[in-house]
Amino acid sequence: MSLNIEISDKYRIKSDEHQIIVQRKHTVDPTLSPAFDPKKHSAEKRTEWRDWKWCAKPEQALELIARQRIFESDAQTLGELRNEIALFRREISGLLRTMD
């Protein structure tokens, strides 16, 4: 049995027999591909999960996701950033509590 836990709308963690895999959700628009041929391919957008990073422990995966969310933040002040970090910590705590 392996992990398959959605951490947020953009990240999830999975596992195999060797490691924890952090995946990110991507939206794929096939019409943007140079190989797109409307006669052969569907133009429908789709979402897919792609492997992004690999970790030895779930705690490392969660820390990686937290750091990436900081990099992606639109915060304009330290207070806003602090609030986003606190919100993410609450989300993770909530996920961990539901696992107990």
Side-chain angles (χ1 to χ4, degrees):
M1 197 167 198
S2 61
L3 294 175
N4 186 7
I5 303 169
E6 197 163 321
I7 302 301
S8 69
D9 62 336
K10 196 172 178 180
Y11 296 96
R12 77 177 176 188
I13 56 174
K14 295 188 75 159
S15 66
D16 62 20
E17 62 275 4
H18 303 289
Q19 66 219 338
I20 304 297
I21 304 157
V22 180
Q23 295 185 318
R24 290 184 358 177
K25 189 183 282 187
H26 292 268
T27 300
V28 178
D29 183 349
T31 64
L32 299 177
S33 169
F36 177 73
D37 181 352
K39 296 175 187 165
K40 296 180 185 176
H41 306 109
S42 169
E44 187 174 327
K45 291 182 182 180
R46 67 184 186 280
T47 58
E48 57 186 45
W49 291 97
R50 295 183 187 166
D51 293 353
W52 177 55
K53 301 279 185 173
W54 292 262
C55 301
K57 300 177 184 177
E59 297 85 358
Q60 292 170 325
L62 293 173
E63 179 63 32
L64 242 164
I65 294 168
R67 274 188 289 165
Q68 187 62 32
R69 286 183 59 168
I70 290 169
F71 295 145
E72 296 170 353
S73 172
D74 292 329
Q76 299 297 309
T77 67
L78 285 175
E80 289 176 3
L81 183 59
R82 183 186 64 235
N83 291 339
E84 288 182 23
I85 293 168
L87 176 62
F88 183 67
R89 286 184 178 157
R90 283 193 300 272
E91 289 173 14
I92 294 301
S93 293
L95 287 171
L96 295 173
R97 273 195 303 276
T98 60
M99 294 172 53
D100 291 337

